[in-house]
Amino acid sequence: MAKGYWIARVDIRDPERYKDYVAAAKPAFEKYGAVFLARGGEYTKLEGQVRARNVVIEFPSHQAAVDCYNSPEYQIAAKIRQEVADAEMVVVEGV
């Protein structure tokens, strides 16, 4: 079974409140087997629009990645994130 990956590009407007998002999201990530492969850090713009924070999270499957996002646990965190950051997020299937 192919793994699933969240790819998120984020601009944080309120770094202090973003910490609340990180804490609130942790139970969902643990429940669905998330492994962070990239979280912030240095990046090099090659093409197109960029955001300040780039995140790649691996899940056991594409469905687990989608289920994590849609879970009641993550939706609590998502509401916080949406108040304090702008983001684009997708789930992609691994090869």
Side-chain angles (χ1 to χ4, degrees):
M1 175 184 323
K3 294 185 179 190
Y5 297 86
W6 280 20
I7 300 175
R9 301 172 44 235
V10 184
D11 283 332
I12 300 168
R13 296 188 310 273
D14 184 340
E16 286 305 309
R17 289 263 347 265
Y18 194 80
K19 293 175 186 176
D20 296 337
Y21 158 72
V22 171
K26 187 176 180 181
F29 291 147
E30 290 174 350
K31 179 177 179 180
Y32 289 92
V35 176
F36 284 80
L37 302 179
R39 180 172 25 194
E42 182 179 342
Y43 67 91
T44 301
K45 176 184 175 180
L46 300 176
E47 293 184 29
Q49 299 294 324
V50 297
R51 291 200 180 262
R53 185 172 179 84
N54 300 283
V55 181
V56 179
I57 308 171
E58 180 182 82
F59 289 85
S61 67
H62 183 271
Q63 190 60 54
V66 171
D67 290 347
C68 181
Y69 181 85
N70 290 321
S71 71
E73 298 91 347
Y74 185 75
Q75 286 304 302
I76 291 168
K79 288 178 183 174
I80 297 168
R81 179 184 42 77
Q82 291 161 356
E83 292 174 4
V84 302
D86 300 308
E88 289 93 29
M89 296 174 61
V90 297
V91 172
V92 297
E93 184 176 67
V95 294

